[in-house]
Amino acid sequence: MKRIAAVLILLLVTVGTLFWAHDSQSEEQRDGFANYRLIAHAMGSIREQAYTNAYEAMIANYEKGTRVFEIDFMLTSDRVAVARHEWTANMSKMLGQDEELPEHKQAGALTHDEFMNTPILGMYQPMDADGIMKVLSKYPDMYIVTDTKEQKDEDIQQVLRSLVNAAKKHDSSALSRVVVQIYNEPMLEKVKEVYNFPSIIYTLYATQDTESQVVDFVQNNDIDAVTMPEYKVNQNFVAKLKKAGAVTYVHTINDTQQAANYEKWGVYGVYSDVLTEQEMEDMNTRFAWKP
């Protein structure tokens, strides 16, 4: 009888542990983009190539279950917003465009026509703001996160204005699924001058603000999420951000064990070149059901 009682107690404790772990995970379920723990960096890799920001990468990773896509944005020489990480010779080479473009065009901004008509790796389609918003309007459960690589306020606003105008052309409601990354506190007002985007991520790689300043800003401005490089992550900071109402992401993580380690610190999700939303969900389920 005592043995049966002991077994029952052990079973209850185990079930309770499982319930608590699963419940603690479900507490973090959010609405919108923050319902997802994986953000595809530069639309995610395709055939092991990162930084393409290409249409095919976006669709291939969507088909794998990813729903949130970070996209790099630059302006062409004729001031059209396009998905490009940087205008450098190294990037042209990485994207296999060094043989497609004349030498004097490899290290500077292209025109919109030149950009759109120069395939990536000889086979993938470059994207502009119009094409991105067209895709977003087609897939109602897809989100994009802007990574505006321009430095001047007027150029950043031009990128965002291009997205707004493209959305109005295809589907204005898609703007509710455009998540804007800001790099410092003043940028929030500059963004609002263009459009009152409902979701904001504060990315910390460029700011000199202290942890306390970031937490206060997040709390006072209802910032949805904070993303940071690995060297800025610590458990206390993550806990304070969560209390202030923001989920936290770390970039760029391409290994499930690394992602799992950060989750143990309270980090909500990661930006990744290669991981998928399904892998993140499988990882979370595995930990949730571990006694």
Side-chain angles (χ1 to χ4, degrees):
M1 190 70 181
K2 289 182 178 179
R3 185 176 179 182
I4 294 173
V7 170
L8 287 172
I9 290 170
L10 179 60
L11 180 62
L12 288 171
V13 170
T14 301
V15 171
T17 301
L18 295 176
F19 176 80
W20 177 86
H22 182 72
D23 189 58
S24 66
Q25 292 285 334
S26 63
E27 280 181 0
E28 292 193 274
Q29 292 300 308
R30 302 295 181 108
D31 294 326
F33 82 94
N35 191 41
Y36 301 97
R37 296 177 183 267
L38 190 284
I39 298 178
H41 179 232
M43 294 197 195
S45 292
I46 184 168
R47 296 184 181 177
E48 300 184 351
Q49 177 62 60
Y51 288 101
T52 66
N53 287 286
Y55 169 80
E56 290 83 358
M58 193 179 203
I59 299 305
N61 287 299
Y62 179 89
E63 291 175 349
K64 293 178 182 177
T66 296
R67 293 295 180 265
V68 187
F69 297 84
E70 185 237 33
I71 304 175
D72 300 314
F73 283 100
M74 295 288 290
L75 293 176
T76 61
S77 60
D78 45 352
R79 297 188 65 74
V80 178
V82 296
R84 175 84 174 202
H85 186 267
E86 58 191 49
W87 298 117
T88 64
N90 285 339
M91 183 57 59
S92 294
K93 185 176 182 179
M94 180 187 294
L95 299 181
Q97 296 174 324
D98 51 329
E99 295 184 3
E100 299 281 341
L101 296 167
E103 187 173 352
H104 71 281
K105 290 283 187 178
Q106 294 176 23
L110 301 175
T111 67
H112 178 244
D113 283 346
E114 289 169 339
F115 175 82
M116 295 299 292
N117 290 296
T118 306
I120 296 167
L121 299 173
M123 67 181 83
Y124 301 131
Q125 178 61 48
M127 297 196 77
D128 58 11
D130 186 76
I132 290 165
M133 296 310 297
K134 185 176 181 180
V135 171
L136 203 60
S137 67
K138 183 178 179 181
Y139 295 90
D141 59 346
M142 179 186 285
Y143 298 79
I144 65 167
V145 175
T146 66
D147 189 4
T148 50
K149 296 300 184 181
E150 299 292 347
Q151 301 297 311
K152 297 178 181 179
D153 289 343
E154 59 267 30
D155 294 340
I156 293 170
Q157 289 182 320
Q158 176 65 18
V159 168
L160 298 178
R161 198 173 292 113
S162 295
L163 291 171
V164 172
N165 291 338
K168 290 178 179 178
K169 175 181 174 183
H170 296 289
D171 178 7
S172 293
S173 69
L175 287 171
S176 66
R177 290 177 284 116
V178 175
V179 184
V180 177
Q181 278 191 156
I182 61 172
Y183 309 93
N184 51 61
E185 294 185 13
M187 184 176 168
L188 182 59
E189 292 306 314
K190 295 298 180 182
V191 169
K192 289 181 177 180
E193 288 175 7
V194 176
Y195 186 82
N196 191 26
F197 293 92
S199 298
I200 299 290
I201 295 179
Y202 189 7
T203 183
L204 304 184
Y205 73 84
T207 184
Q208 299 300 314
D209 286 354
T210 65
E211 291 181 3
S212 294
Q213 287 174 314
V214 172
V215 171
D216 288 344
F217 178 72
V218 164
Q219 190 166 29
N220 294 334
N221 293 278
D222 296 321
I223 302 300
D224 302 274
V226 172
T227 184
M228 64 189 84
E230 293 184 79
Y231 69 88
K232 289 200 173 187
V233 184
N234 68 73
Q235 286 178 283
N236 185 51
F237 188 27
V238 169
K240 287 180 178 178
L241 287 168
K242 182 177 180 180
K243 188 176 181 181
V247 297
T248 51
Y249 292 86
V250 179
H251 59 81
T252 303
I253 306 299
N254 291 324
D255 178 80
T256 53
Q257 187 57 55
Q258 274 187 294
N261 290 338
Y262 281 121
E263 185 187 34
K264 292 174 185 176
W265 284 15
V267 171
Y268 182 75
V270 301
Y271 287 45
S272 181
D273 297 312
V274 297
L275 299 182
T276 66
E277 181 68 29
Q278 188 59 55
E279 286 176 303
M280 294 294 290
E281 287 300 317
D282 291 346
M283 181 189 77
N284 291 329
T285 302
R286 186 167 66 250
F287 285 120
W289 288 95
K290 184 177 180 180

